[in-house]
Amino acid sequence: MKRLRGGPECSRSGYLFLLPNFTGFLLFVLLPVLASLALSFCRWEILKDNTPTFIGLANFRKLLTSEDFWYHTYNTMFLMLGIPVGMMLSLALALLLNRSIRGIKLFRMVYFLPTVTAGVALLVLWMWIYEPLYGLLNCTLGQFGVEGPNWLRGGFRLEFLSWFGMDPQCYWSKPALMLMGIWTGVGGYNMILYLAALHTVNPQLYEAAQVDGATRWQKFRYITWPMLAPATFFIFIMSLIDGFQGGFESAYVMTLGGPAGSSTTISFQIFNELFENDRAGYASAIAWFLFLIVFVLTLISWRYGGKVVHHD
Amino acid sequence: MIERPLRPEIRFREARRAFRRGLLYLVLSAIGLVMVLPFLWMLSTSLKTGKGAVQVPPQWIPRSSATLAQYKGQSVPVRLLKKECLVRRLDDGQEATVYAQAVHTDKPLWGPPVVTAAIPTDQGGYVRVPVEVLGSTARVRILQEGPDLEKVVDLPGQDIYEKSWVSLQWSNYPETWRKLPFGRSYINTLIISLSITLGQVLTCSLAAFAFARLRFPGRDKLFLGYLATMMIPGAVTLIPVYVMFVKIPDLFNYAFHTQYFTTDLYFLGKYYVGRLIGGNSYFALIAPGLFSAYGTFMLRQFFMNLPRGLEDAARIDGCGNLRIYWHVTLPLSRVALATLATFTFMGAWKSFMWPLLILNTEELLPLQVLLQRFQGQHGSEYHLLMAGSMIVLLPLLAVFLLAQRYFIRGIQLGAIKG
């Protein structure tokens, strides 16, 4: 590479520095995004080696009227109910860890373990924990005289749901996956973010509150919680974005989306449309629907996140 | 006038503080236990026998047990065939012979245990009465190596005993290792993860340097474009990228009038290393991971905050941009680079969906996908599955322990994103 001299004011070698990354950006992001948009208006069976045919908005029409798709969207959002619970627990952990006593780093490390090791190995581990006869969970429940269900495959009926015109058949798979998700994520990124946010709270505020005779709860309610609002907002939006895109690995490894599609999320459906049903166009349309959700969420975070963030 | 607090008050306050601290540690440890317990369960199961893994209630420390007997002054393993007890009924003092299984020791909640026996009645049924055990004999088969030593003998009952001991089935690990090509998979994962890490740190730092330190037309617009792409879900680009990799070898073959792009390659003539590009190639596994908008963004933020003084000095000494990048900026940003490297490495190590899509041969599989295959093939042999999971987890744990501080830092850097 030619050595380019001259000050930072007039440098064009910037393009050369950018070139490697930009090539990848172009090949693996920009062009594919456009291709994917184009594909979403087409019918294309890759495995049959057809050529794509333009079918207009048919994929999107099918998407909006497909009962399966809305069920999977419902599944995805149901699994996201774990987010507020997980966030509350993360905040509680951060509050517990936010003091300078001996061994706090060790605890932080231990809480972070599931996040670090997350992957197929942990999914397999949880399959074993959820094993109906010999798994840790049901054996522990058994010691208390409770007969645990078949978490990943079993179901139960809630008859009253039929009064509202809903299917009374429920499955344990979603609660089980939620529990696993909370365990995996509670001591992870969110807790560290909360810890970092707690460090930025001005200690003088607490001292002032102390002088005014504030209780612990009042200090939390009127100082900590408002000061953490930007972090909470950020974590919430990020978790929503991840949540809408999540659920592929656990579905693929643990439940295959079942029983009766009860653990199929949007991302698992995209995979299935592509490789089981060979409908690349429809899969692209779903992916774009996902994109739309994420886009809206990102816009919200830019629009409202900026206002509440206390940067120092 | 300053009031001095009284001594007992101080002591009370100290005690309260100590109590609170103790409580805090208790709560923290309890939560820690919840986090660690599943891992210990994994380790414990991985060291059990297939039978031990499905024992109820489960044992945390794997044990084996055997029946032993004192025979000719030696302790030898035996198999119990029949055990008889001579008992005296406590109600009428009659003596009777019953099988050992018919003798029960009923543990009451309070008081000493009561021994009862099921004694046959004239009506053909059994009656369970408290008894006193007078003595017992057992018929056992002595288990020895060699057929001539295996014989059946009657021994006094007290010479027979159960022995259980901690026994860790370390052999599960080599057994698992042999069932699927874990060794090869390790190498694959290392090749993929290290290449991606190196490549990404390089391309991202180059781009970040350009965005942070160089001026060229369209820079800020380009950067905004980078930022915007961070929100694109992986699922959107997945399909076209997949198609691209699957179709391009044929296209290249056609363009260059060759078959080379779809030829299977062997390293040293015997190790299958997939194809040059396209599906089933290291290239396809690595290439999409070499670039990242997020890494570029993170490093740019870091470079922006570096002092310019050294750079200016280097520039006055006649250094070009490349040398400044290499000799000034990079050494100053070791922490940020290590952070990005750690995250990239862990991410690459865990990537699952992409290799799953792009590969259909066992030789190139990275660990995550191999473990999933293993699970599919040995779904109920949890002792082996857990050994496999441990094999996959251990390097991650090692990297985490080594690079812990970069992790925490990386997350905090990421927080600026919002």
Side-chain angles (χ1 to χ4, degrees):
Chain A
M1 192 168 154
K2 204 179 121 196
R3 216 168 83 188
L4 288 147
R5 285 172 185 273
E9 304 302 319
C10 56
S11 170
R12 277 178 186 268
S13 66
Y15 292 122
L16 289 178
F17 277 86
L18 218 49
L19 190 67
N21 204 303
F22 191 73
T23 313
F25 175 71
L26 204 68
L27 280 177
F28 299 119
V29 180
L30 211 56
L31 295 179
V33 166
L34 299 176
S36 155
L37 182 63
L39 257 184
S40 64
F41 297 106
C42 296
R43 173 206 301 279
W44 191 21
E45 282 131 346
I46 303 177
L47 305 180
K48 287 191 200 133
D49 230 3
N50 296 351
T51 45
T53 45
F54 182 77
I55 53 167
L57 287 169
N59 283 329
F60 289 98
R61 208 173 297 136
K62 181 173 164 192
L63 178 98
L64 294 176
T65 54
S66 152
E67 223 166 81
D68 277 353
F69 174 72
W70 289 112
Y71 182 46
H72 300 151
T73 309
Y74 159 79
N75 288 340
T76 312
M77 294 177 74
F78 191 101
L79 289 174
M80 284 158 63
L81 290 178
I83 291 173
V85 182
M87 280 176 67
M88 272 194 296
L89 292 174
S90 296
L91 176 58
L93 279 188
L95 287 172
L96 281 178
L97 286 180
N98 186 35
R99 51 200 89 201
S100 48
I101 54 173
R102 206 181 273 239
I104 219 79
K105 276 190 178 165
L106 180 75
F107 285 113
R108 195 176 64 183
M109 200 178 81
V110 166
Y111 298 167
F112 204 66
L113 272 184
T115 304
V116 174
T117 46
V120 176
L122 277 199
L123 299 180
V124 175
L125 168 63
W126 275 88
M127 285 178 83
W128 174 219
I129 289 176
Y130 282 143
E131 216 279 337
L133 291 179
Y134 312 111
L136 181 61
L137 185 59
N138 279 3
C139 280
T140 311
L141 287 176
Q143 308 246 307
F144 295 102
V146 180
E147 196 185 327
N150 188 340
W151 293 96
L152 295 176
R153 298 204 182 84
F156 56 98
R157 290 182 79 83
L158 288 177
E159 294 302 339
F160 74 87
L161 285 179
S162 53
W163 306 339
F164 306 104
M166 290 157 79
D167 186 5
Q169 181 66 42
C170 301
Y171 298 96
W172 286 108
S173 58
K174 280 195 281 279
L177 291 180
M178 265 162 72
L179 180 68
M180 179 184 79
I182 290 173
W183 177 83
T184 310
V186 69
Y189 302 111
N190 298 347
M191 189 194 77
I192 303 286
L193 288 177
Y194 267 132
L195 265 176
L198 282 171
H199 282 306
T200 64
V201 180
N202 189 343
Q204 285 176 349
L205 289 173
Y206 291 113
E207 284 159 22
Q210 183 83 40
V211 171
D212 290 346
T215 61
R216 274 171 169 269
W217 166 250
Q218 283 172 328
K219 279 191 219 165
F220 173 76
R221 174 67 188 79
Y222 296 107
I223 301 174
T224 315
W225 180 247
M227 294 303 279
L228 289 184
T232 305
F233 183 79
F234 173 77
I235 293 172
F236 187 60
I237 294 282
M238 286 297 141
S239 308
L240 288 187
I241 291 176
D242 286 349
F244 272 109
Q245 299 181 51
F248 170 75
E249 285 188 18
S250 48
Y252 188 85
V253 176
M254 297 173 80
T255 61
L256 287 174
S262 63
S263 62
T264 303
T265 61
I266 299 177
S267 63
F268 189 61
Q269 195 195 350
I270 293 176
F271 179 86
N272 271 343
E273 294 298 348
L274 191 56
F275 294 96
E276 301 293 321
N277 306 335
D278 198 12
R279 293 193 282 218
Y282 187 45
S284 300
I286 300 175
W288 267 84
F289 180 84
L290 201 60
F291 190 8
L292 191 74
I293 296 175
V294 174
F295 182 68
V296 170
L297 286 173
T298 312
L299 280 190
I300 292 175
S301 85
W302 284 359
R303 174 76 180 76
Y304 297 102
K307 277 189 182 168
V308 278
V309 171
H310 299 285
H311 278 307
D312 40 19
Chain B
M1 197 180 121
I2 302 165
E3 267 187 302
R4 285 168 186 267
L6 295 167
R7 284 191 78 86
E9 267 181 31
I10 301 177
R11 214 177 290 158
F12 175 69
R13 213 182 286 165
E14 294 268 295
R16 215 174 81 151
R17 190 181 288 169
F19 174 74
R20 285 185 105 114
R21 178 157 298 189
L23 201 68
L24 177 72
Y25 275 121
L26 204 69
V27 172
L28 289 175
S29 309
I31 301 167
L33 200 65
V34 172
M35 296 323 238
V36 170
L37 224 51
F39 290 103
L40 293 180
W41 172 247
M42 178 190 250
L43 179 67
S44 160
T45 308
S46 77
L47 294 172
K48 287 176 183 173
T49 57
K51 228 165 80 187
V54 294
Q55 195 175 323
V56 180
Q59 294 172 321
W60 282 91
I61 297 167
R63 297 185 79 87
S64 294
S65 64
T67 311
L68 300 178
Q70 284 296 324
Y71 179 64
K72 291 183 179 168
Q74 270 187 326
S75 204
V76 291
V78 296
R79 199 165 81 230
L80 199 61
L81 299 175
K82 200 171 89 177
K83 193 174 176 189
E84 285 176 347
C85 281
L86 184 64
V87 297
R88 180 190 291 140
R89 295 174 63 150
L90 290 184
D91 51 354
D92 57 6
Q94 279 184 348
E95 290 182 3
T97 303
V98 291
Y99 291 119
Q101 286 90 334
V103 181
H104 307 274
T105 307
D106 299 331
K107 260 191 212 152
L109 280 172
W110 295 278
V114 180
V115 181
T116 60
I119 291 177
T121 62
D122 298 337
Q123 283 78 35
Y126 286 88
V127 58
R128 207 165 155 199
V129 291
V131 294
E132 174 193 1
V133 178
L134 298 174
S136 63
T137 47
R139 178 159 296 171
V140 294
R141 183 187 295 279
I142 293 175
L143 304 171
Q144 288 280 5
E145 282 168 36
D148 52 322
L149 272 165
E150 197 169 294
K151 53 184 171 186
V152 175
V153 290
D154 286 332
L155 295 169
Q158 61 267 27
D159 285 0
I160 319 277
Y161 52 96
E162 283 280 320
K163 194 183 169 200
S164 85
W165 64 97
V166 176
S167 96
L168 308 177
Q169 296 288 314
W170 292 105
S171 61
N172 285 345
Y173 285 84
E175 193 184 339
T176 305
W177 189 270
R178 275 194 303 270
K179 291 220 166 182
L180 278 177
F182 274 96
R184 174 65 197 265
S185 190
Y186 249 106
I187 296 172
N188 292 336
T189 315
L190 271 179
I191 291 174
I192 298 163
S193 307
L194 288 178
S195 313
I196 287 180
T197 307
L198 259 177
Q200 202 180 112
V201 168
L202 194 70
T203 64
C204 288
S205 62
L206 278 169
F209 182 77
F211 281 132
R213 282 295 193 256
L214 304 175
R215 293 213 177 159
F216 50 91
R219 180 187 75 171
D220 295 336
K221 273 181 197 152
L222 260 176
F223 184 65
L224 263 182
Y226 262 69
L227 275 188
T229 56
M230 287 207 294
M231 68 176 164
I232 296 173
V236 173
T237 51
L238 182 79
I239 301 163
V241 172
Y242 166 76
V243 172
M244 185 169 79
F245 273 107
V246 171
K247 300 285 174 193
I248 267 186
D250 291 326
L251 204 73
F252 276 29
N253 274 346
Y254 179 75
F256 297 103
H257 302 288
T258 165
Q259 289 297 312
Y260 190 63
F261 293 99
T262 49
T263 308
D264 289 330
L265 304 175
Y266 293 86
F267 178 64
L268 297 177
K270 56 179 180 177
Y271 299 106
Y272 179 65
V273 290
R275 295 170 176 183
L276 195 64
I277 55 172
N280 278 336
S281 70
Y282 282 115
F283 179 77
L285 289 168
I286 293 167
L290 292 179
F291 320 93
S292 123
Y294 176 68
T296 308
F297 173 76
M298 194 196 100
L299 288 182
R300 175 195 177 256
Q301 300 303 91
F302 192 87
F303 290 171
M304 297 278 272
N305 292 328
L306 287 178
R308 276 179 180 268
L310 270 173
E311 254 173 66
D312 291 339
R315 216 176 284 280
I316 289 164
D317 286 348
C319 280
N321 284 328
L322 197 60
R323 281 179 67 177
I324 290 177
Y325 158 80
W326 190 256
H327 290 294
V328 181
T329 310
L330 285 196
L332 281 177
S333 350
R334 273 196 210 115
V335 176
L337 296 175
T339 303
L340 178 64
T342 314
F343 266 83
T344 311
F345 185 84
M346 301 289 247
W349 189 279
K350 283 185 214 166
S351 72
F352 177 69
M353 198 193 215
W354 180 245
L356 185 74
L357 293 188
I358 207 76
L359 297 177
N360 56 26
T361 55
E362 204 170 61
E363 283 93 341
L364 297 189
L365 290 183
L367 284 167
Q368 298 287 327
V369 187
L370 192 79
L371 186 63
Q372 190 270 327
R373 289 260 166 115
F374 189 57
Q375 194 277 324
Q377 290 168 10
H378 301 268
S380 56
E381 293 173 78
Y382 277 102
H383 59 301
L384 298 182
L385 281 178
M386 291 301 109
S389 300
M390 288 295 291
I391 290 174
V392 174
L393 277 195
L394 284 176
L396 275 181
L397 283 181
V399 171
F400 174 58
L401 293 181
L402 287 176
Q404 208 217 122
R405 64 197 183 108
Y406 299 119
F407 250 91
I408 308 297
R409 232 192 112 71
I411 300 162
Q412 289 167 357
L413 281 174
I416 310 163
K417 197 159 81 170

